[in-house]
Amino acid sequence: MREITLPQAKQILLLAGAPRSRRKSFYQAALAVLLAARDENLLEGPSKELFARVELLSGGSPGTAERNIRGLVALCWDQGGREPFLALTGLDYEARPTASQFIGALANCLRRRAAGLPKGNRPGRRRHP
């Protein structure tokens, strides 16, 4: 598997329909996708460790990374990013995903790309509540 980089994480966010207009949120989301793609254990259990690492690396204050990423997900979902996200990940969320679900789906997509596997998580779409 090739090394996963921050520019690749930023690219996957753009492909998923995330707006760059919220620079800090976009950067923190890209860091979260990068960290989760490199270490999928960060998404198991409480996601506080992932967001704490993002805050440390981005210079954010405690508690801001998850809130900023949640805002970016909401903006993406409400402004036309739903279809690109669903097409990119191969998932089917009926409601807007949480920040952790959004990051996890994109991290999985990035890992698959780095390994040279086809896009999506599994054949067909998986439904999520």
Side-chain angles (χ1 to χ4, degrees):
M1 182 187 324
R2 297 177 314 190
E3 178 69 22
I4 299 170
T5 64
L6 186 58
Q8 291 170 322
K10 289 179 179 179
Q11 182 65 32
I12 208 88
L13 274 170
L14 291 173
L15 290 173
R20 263 199 161 150
S21 60
R22 299 179 68 176
R23 291 180 191 259
K24 181 115 184 174
S25 299
F26 185 86
Y27 179 68
Q28 287 178 326
L31 276 175
V33 169
L34 175 67
L35 292 172
R38 287 183 175 173
D39 181 5
E40 53 192 303
N41 293 327
L42 286 174
L43 288 170
E44 293 176 7
S47 57
K48 300 226 183 280
E49 182 180 349
L50 173 65
F51 295 121
R53 285 191 190 181
V54 169
E55 288 161 2
L56 182 66
L57 292 170
S58 67
S61 56
T64 59
E66 184 174 12
R67 185 184 70 226
N68 288 344
I69 294 170
R70 236 184 3 250
L72 183 78
V73 172
L75 190 62
C76 172
W77 201 257
D78 296 340
Q79 293 186 356
R82 181 179 187 273
E83 289 306 317
F85 173 78
L86 296 177
L88 183 66
T89 62
L91 299 172
D92 187 13
Y93 285 90
E94 291 181 20
R96 180 174 64 217
T98 65
S100 295
Q101 290 171 331
F102 186 83
I103 296 302
L106 293 180
N108 186 42
C109 203
L110 192 54
R111 273 193 303 275
R112 293 180 67 79
R113 284 178 171 225
L117 298 172
K119 71 178 183 175
N121 292 327
R122 289 196 172 97
R125 287 195 162 197
R126 293 188 334 191
R127 288 194 84 68
H128 287 274

